[in-house]
Amino acid sequence: MKTARYLIPNDYMADPSVHIFNGKLYIYPSHDRESHIPENDDGDHFDMKDYHAFSMEEIEGEVTDHGVVLDVKDIPWAGRQLWDCDVAFKNNKYYMYFPLKDKTDIFRIGVAISDKPTGPFIPEINPIRGSYSIDPAILDDGDGNYYMYFGGLWGGQLQCYRDNKVLKCACFPADDEPALCPRVVRLSDDMKGFDEEPHDVVILDENGKPLTAGDVKRRFFEASWVHKYNGKYYFSYSTGDTHFLCHAIGDNPYGPFTYKGIILTPVVGWTTHHAIVEFKNKWYLFYHDCVPSGGKTWLRSLKVTELEYDSGGIIKTIEGR
Ligand code: FUB
């Protein structure tokens, strides 16, 4: 596959999470819709109400829509805004992790469970204890341990927390101070909770110093994803208001990760968000842009393109436009 392909031309889907289950590729995106809510920096216009699951047998082949797999009306603690979800498989069950504002307008992360990758996913009655912010991404480390990466600035509310405690008011570091970090936490054996306190995921520069808050073209904003390649851990993310997808490489799930470069230059639209997966011996970047909606930032469309590494394991930059 040499050119990017739109996957779901008849609906608006964004924030792909992608996994291979039983040899098939499954996509779990956010389901964008026209909410008529004015655009603002908190992302109120991203007012999504359900998730669909999609599957593919071949990367160039048909995309099957398995319909609604979780609906906000079935989540007992729901307030509003179902943002980027992810799904993990363990012991014959599929676990969907999703961020959602509770009835007090605070983002929490919930879990919903199914016997099948295509749902329906049945939500637990409460959000995960100790959870906050957005964009959960799950790493199955292959040794029985599963890790959740999460966090997002601005509308994602990460600036309201330090050391896993809520602050009295939102607080951003000064430009020369270390940037706010995404979080990583090992999941409990039953996959329904955290097994420890979340840890900061530190991203270092080429001199081994944490990226600073003023380093806006490289510091973390949202959209965590982790994959493994040649025994290394690749943490990838969006820089938000500077619109890059970047990657950083580490030796273990907790990091630190050292910044290595841009994966995707800015796409049409404000947000950029992705998943990286190996399928049938090739690597792919799943992402979104707003070309089909004529640039409406809240109506995004899913795409896939091939991804390559150089001989040193650095991901080669893909042009978003
Ligand atoms: O889809 C809503 C939010 O937009 C996601 O949670 C962010 O990562 C950004 O893509």
Side-chain angles (χ1 to χ4, degrees), residues 14-15 30 32 46 48 82-84 99 134-135 222-223 271-273 288 300:
D15 305 334
S30 302
D32 284 356
F46 295 110
M48 295 84 102
L82 275 177
W83 285 10
D84 159 57
I134 60 165
D135 288 359
E222 62 186 3
T271 68
T272 187
H273 195 127
H288 66 230
R300 301 163 293 180

Side-chain angles (χ1 to χ4, degrees), residues 124-282:
E124 294 288 290
I125 57 170
N126 289 306
I128 293 176
R129 193 187 173 98
S131 68
Y132 56 92
S133 200
I134 60 165
D135 288 359
I138 310 298
L139 170 71
D140 171 358
D141 205 10
D143 62 354
N145 290 311
Y146 291 74
Y147 298 88
M148 179 191 290
Y149 299 79
F150 66 93
L153 305 188
W154 297 15
Q157 304 177 344
L158 191 62
Q159 65 278 5
C160 302
Y161 298 84
R162 289 291 188 285
D163 300 323
N164 303 314
K165 295 191 179 55
V166 68
L167 300 172
K168 285 210 170 67
C169 48
C171 180
F172 289 94
D175 280 0
D176 59 350
E177 291 177 344
L180 291 176
C181 293
R183 311 288 201 259
V184 56
V185 61
R186 195 179 55 242
L187 294 176
S188 55
D189 201 39
D190 67 3
M191 300 291 273
K192 295 183 190 176
F194 294 167
D195 204 31
E196 57 182 356
E197 288 276 301
H199 304 264
D200 281 359
V201 175
V202 178
I203 305 171
L204 304 173
D205 68 13
E206 58 285 2
N207 300 313
K209 298 246 164 49
L211 294 182
T212 58
D215 193 348
V216 291
K217 290 190 172 167
R218 300 196 297 176
R219 61 92 174 91
F220 170 83
F221 189 100
E222 62 186 3
S224 297
W225 185 257
V226 177
H227 72 278
K228 286 160 82 172
Y229 176 73
N230 280 352
K232 297 279 187 194
Y233 293 76
Y234 284 61
F235 179 77
S236 47
Y237 57 97
S238 161
T239 63
D241 53 342
T242 52
H243 317 290
F244 293 102
L245 286 180
C246 297
H247 70 298
I249 300 179
D251 292 321
N252 68 76
Y254 292 102
F257 297 88
T258 302
Y259 180 88
K260 293 293 178 187
I262 294 169
I263 299 171
L264 183 70
T265 62
V267 295
V268 171
W270 198 97
T271 68
T272 187
H273 195 127
H274 67 301
I276 295 170
V277 70
E278 185 181 24
F279 187 48
K280 303 195 176 181
N281 301 318
K282 286 188 170 181

